[in-house]
Amino acid sequence: MMYRLTPLTGLLLGLFAASSFAAAADIATAPAEAKIDGNALYQANCASCHGADRLGLNGPALLPGNLERLRRPDAIKTIAEGRIATQMPGFGDKLNGAEVKALTELIYTPLATTPAWGMREMRASRIVHQTGKLQDKPVFKADPLNLFVVVELGDHHATILDGDKFEPITRFSTRYALHGGPKFSPDGRYVYFASRDGWVAKYDIWNLKLISEIRVGINTRNLAISSDGRYAMIANYLPHTMVVLDTKDLTPLKIVDVTDDSGKSSRVSAVYDAAPRKSFIAALKDIPEVWEFSYDGKAGKLNSKKIEEPSFQPRRLRLDDYLDDFFFDGSYKHLIGSSRGGVGQVIDLDAGKKLTSVALPGMPHLGSGITWEYQGKPVLATPNLKEGVVTVVDMNTWQTEKQIPTLGPGFFMRSHENTPYAWVDVFNGSKDRDVIQIIDKQKLEVIAELRPSPGKVAAHTEFTRDGKYALVSIWENDGELVIYDAKTLQVVKRLPMRKPSGKYNIFNKISRSAGTSH
Ligand code: DHE
C-alpha cells in the first residue's frame, strides 16, 4: 500500500534528516497521525525479517509479550537508527517520526488471535547445522570443564572462555535475546540455549560448532536438561505449553498442554531438572499448581504408541496459592517459592503439599538463591528484586536466620564451596548499581564493597571451578568481564565484552555447586 507525505510528515522527515535522529525521544512525543496505516508500513518495511504475522523470522518476534523488556523509546530508537552489530538497519532516512511512532504502536499491540505453535510449526522450524560425525575430544587445549559460556546481550553473541587463562576460545552469534541459564549435557560437551522468542539451540563446545536449532514456542521462559542428558524440557509463556525434545537432534517428542481441571490454561513460570528425583519440575503462573514429570526411563505411551520413552504425564501438586518464583533445596525434597502476595511457601515435593510459610520480603529473581553450611545447618540465601536485603533462611526450621541489609535490591547472588564469601549485586537498585557487595558466609555481614567499573552497572558473578577467581559482568554495550582474585578481592584481568549477562562455568553447573544455579 502507498502512503503519502502530508506537510507535517514532510516537515518531520526534513527535521529527522537534519538531526540524524539524535533525538529519538522526540519521536515518542510526536503527535499520532490518524492517516498512517501502521500495518501497511510494517508489511512494507519489517515483514521480510520479522514475519508478516510478527512472529519473527531472521529477526525477533514483535509482540507485546516478547517486547516487555524493551522500553518504547528504545524501540523507537531501534527502528530509526537500527541495532549495532545486527542485521537490523535504521529506517530513519526512509520513515518520518510519525511513521516510526505508528510502527512502534503496532508492535506493542496484541495480535487479534493467539497464534498456533504446534508440532507442525516446530518440525518446520528445525534446522540441522551438522550431520557428519564430529570429534569426541576438544579441538582446543584448555580444561574442558573449566570453561565459561558467557552470554553477551549487547550484540546477541556467546563467548567460550578459557577459565584458566581467561582468554576467549571462540565467539559466535546467537538467537536474539537469550535469557536464563544455558544448560549443559552431563559430560559438559554440549550446551543448550533458549531465547525469549522460543528458539532452542544445541552447541558442541568440544568442536565449537552449532549442531541444531528448533523453535518450540513464541514466548519461552527457560529450558531444563534431564540429568541423564536424554531430554530437554521447555517452559513457554506463549502458547501455554511445555515441550519435550530429544537432545540427540532436538526432534520434538511431546507437547504438553498446560490446563487445569476446568480447562483453564496457564503460562509456565519455569522448569528445572530435579536430578535426585529424576524428574522435571515446573511451576505454573496462572494456576496454583506445581507439575512434576518423571523421566525415570520407564516404558510409557507416546502418541498412543507403546514405546520406551517416559510418558511425560504430569504429576500435579495442587496448592492453595500461586507460585511466581521458586527454587529448591539441595536434595530437591523441598521447593521454596514466593506467591503473588509476597509470602514465601515451602512445598514438600514428596507429600505434594505446602509444608510451611517462609518470609521473603520483595520477590527473588528465579535461580538467584544459593545455599551453604552455617553453624552446622544448611541455610539458603537470596537477594530480593524489590528490597535492599539478602534473606538468609535456616533450611531445617524454615525460620529467617538473618536479613542482611544491602545497598539496594539485588538480582544475583553467587558463591562457591571454596570461598568464605558470597557476592551480591545491586542490579535493581536506584543507585549504587555499580557496586558488588561481599558477604561473609559465617558472619552473615557485608565485609567489603567493590566498584569494578565506577558509574557502570555491575551484575552477575560466577566462580572458576576451583573457586579461586570470580567473574563479574559490566552491564554496558561497551562492557567488560572483570576478573577478581576471590581471596584478595583484587582485579586480575579485564576482558572487553558487549553487555555480558550471565556466565556459566561448566564444572560448577554439572557438579551442581551449591554456590550457583543449576
Ligand atoms: Fe531472568 C535466569 C525469569 C528478568 C537475566 N530468569 C532466569 C530464570 C528465570 C528468569 C525463570 C531461570 C532460568 C534458568 O536458569 O533455567 N528474569 C526472569 C523474570 O521473571 C524476570 C524478572 C522478568 C522477565 O523479563 O522475564 C527476569 N533476567 C531478567 C533480566 O532483566 C535479566 C537481568 C536480563 C535478561 O537477560 O533479560 C535477566 N535471568 C537472567 C540471567 C539468568 C536468569 C543472566 C541466569 C542466571 C544463572 O546464573 O543461572
Side-chain angles (χ1 to χ4, degrees), residues 68-69 151 153 177-183 196 220-224 237 268-272 285 324-326 363-368 385 411-414 427-428 459-462 475 501-504 509 516-518:
E68 256 168 22
R69 301 193 24 72
V151 171
L153 287 182
L178 295 184
H179 175 228
K183 300 289 153 67
R196 287 189 185 261
T220 287
R221 281 301 271 174
N222 79 327
L223 106 167
Y237 261 12
V268 186
S269 289
V271 59
Y272 293 99
K285 196 104 180 155
D324 264 346
D325 298 299
F326 63 102
M363 192 183 278
H365 174 250
L366 285 133
S368 61
L385 295 181
F411 225 77
F412 300 105
M413 184 165 187
R414 291 288 178 258
F427 190 77
N428 258 23
H460 194 276
T461 305
E462 180 68 282
W475 195 268
S501 169
K503 60 208 78 66
Y504 309 90
K509 293 292 174 189
T516 190
S517 64
H518 312 129

Side-chain angles (χ1 to χ4, degrees), residues 345-421:
Q345 32 183 338
V346 180
I347 313 296
D348 181 328
L349 289 169
D350 292 336
K353 58 182 188 201
K354 180 174 166 183
L355 183 70
T356 184
S357 298
V358 61
L360 292 176
M363 192 183 278
H365 174 250
L366 285 133
S368 61
I370 58 169
T371 58
W372 67 82
E373 285 285 307
Y374 169 71
Q375 297 183 348
K377 58 195 176 200
V379 291
L380 173 136
T382 175
N384 292 284
L385 295 181
K386 294 182 189 152
E387 285 193 33
V389 64
V390 164
T391 307
V392 183
V393 175
D394 177 337
M395 288 164 77
N396 288 335
T397 61
W398 300 108
Q399 297 299 308
T400 304
E401 188 68 41
K402 187 153 180 199
Q403 303 278 20
I404 307 172
T406 56
L407 287 172
F411 225 77
F412 300 105
M413 184 165 187
R414 291 288 178 258
S415 186
H416 189 280
E417 285 77 356
N418 296 343
T419 169
Y421 307 134

Side-chain angles (χ1 to χ4, degrees), residues 20-283:
S20 290
F21 297 91
D26 290 351
I27 305 175
T29 52
E33 281 257 330
K35 290 198 183 120
I36 295 175
D37 181 342
N39 192 41
L41 277 179
Y42 178 88
Q43 296 303 335
N45 296 288
C46 320
S48 60
C49 290
H50 295 279
D53 47 12
R54 287 164 46 204
L55 298 187
L57 283 173
N58 311 335
L62 297 177
L63 301 170
N66 298 55
L67 296 172
E68 256 168 22
R69 301 193 24 72
L70 185 70
R71 293 178 318 121
R72 281 180 195 227
D74 291 332
I76 288 173
K77 191 164 185 281
T78 305
I79 296 171
E81 298 176 11
R83 204 181 263 278
I84 297 168
T86 71
Q87 289 170 38
M88 172 71 189
F91 287 84
D93 52 355
K94 196 172 169 197
L95 304 177
N96 64 45
E99 288 167 336
V100 171
K101 195 173 175 221
L103 271 178
T104 310
E105 287 304 318
L106 177 86
I107 64 177
Y108 284 95
T109 306
L111 293 177
T113 51
T114 307
W117 203 265
M119 237 355 145
R120 196 162 49 93
E121 289 79 7
M122 262 183 243
R123 287 196 179 118
S125 74
R126 193 166 145 265
I127 306 166
V128 177
H129 295 279
Q130 295 292 327
T131 43
K133 181 155 168 36
L134 294 169
Q135 151 173 340
D136 282 332
K137 56 180 194 296
V139 293
F140 48 83
K141 283 198 178 76
D143 174 356
L145 294 185
N146 194 26
L147 302 175
F148 287 83
V149 174
V150 187
V151 171
E152 294 179 65
L153 287 182
D155 59 356
H156 310 284
H157 275 67
T159 291
I160 307 289
L161 183 73
D162 178 339
D164 290 302
K165 294 188 180 150
F166 301 120
E167 285 171 4
I169 293 174
T170 189
R171 187 173 190 270
F172 51 94
S173 66
T174 67
R175 291 280 166 180
Y176 176 82
L178 295 184
H179 175 228
K183 300 289 153 67
F184 297 92
S185 58
D187 58 2
R189 170 172 178 172
Y190 298 104
V191 58
Y192 300 86
F193 298 99
S195 81
R196 287 189 185 261
D197 275 357
W199 282 97
V200 172
K202 175 179 180 177
Y203 182 86
D204 183 338
I205 297 173
W206 292 359
N207 288 284
L208 307 177
K209 290 218 174 344
L210 185 60
I211 302 294
S212 45
E213 293 180 289
I214 184 167
R215 190 174 187 189
V216 295
I218 293 164
N219 187 342
T220 287
R221 281 301 271 174
N222 79 327
L223 106 167
I225 298 292
S226 59
S227 55
D228 58 13
R230 286 194 295 162
Y231 304 106
M233 190 149 202
I234 294 95
N236 283 329
Y237 261 12
L238 190 66
H240 293 176
T241 56
M242 300 190 67
V243 176
V244 184
L245 301 178
D246 184 335
T247 50
K248 201 158 31 84
D249 51 7
L250 299 189
T251 44
L253 294 176
K254 184 166 181 176
I255 299 175
V256 180
D257 289 318
V258 181
T259 50
D260 69 6
D261 295 330
S262 70
K264 179 189 171 202
S265 68
S266 172
R267 296 168 292 169
V268 186
S269 289
V271 59
Y272 293 99
D273 173 53
R277 308 175 69 83
K278 290 200 169 48
S279 66
F280 291 116
I281 294 184

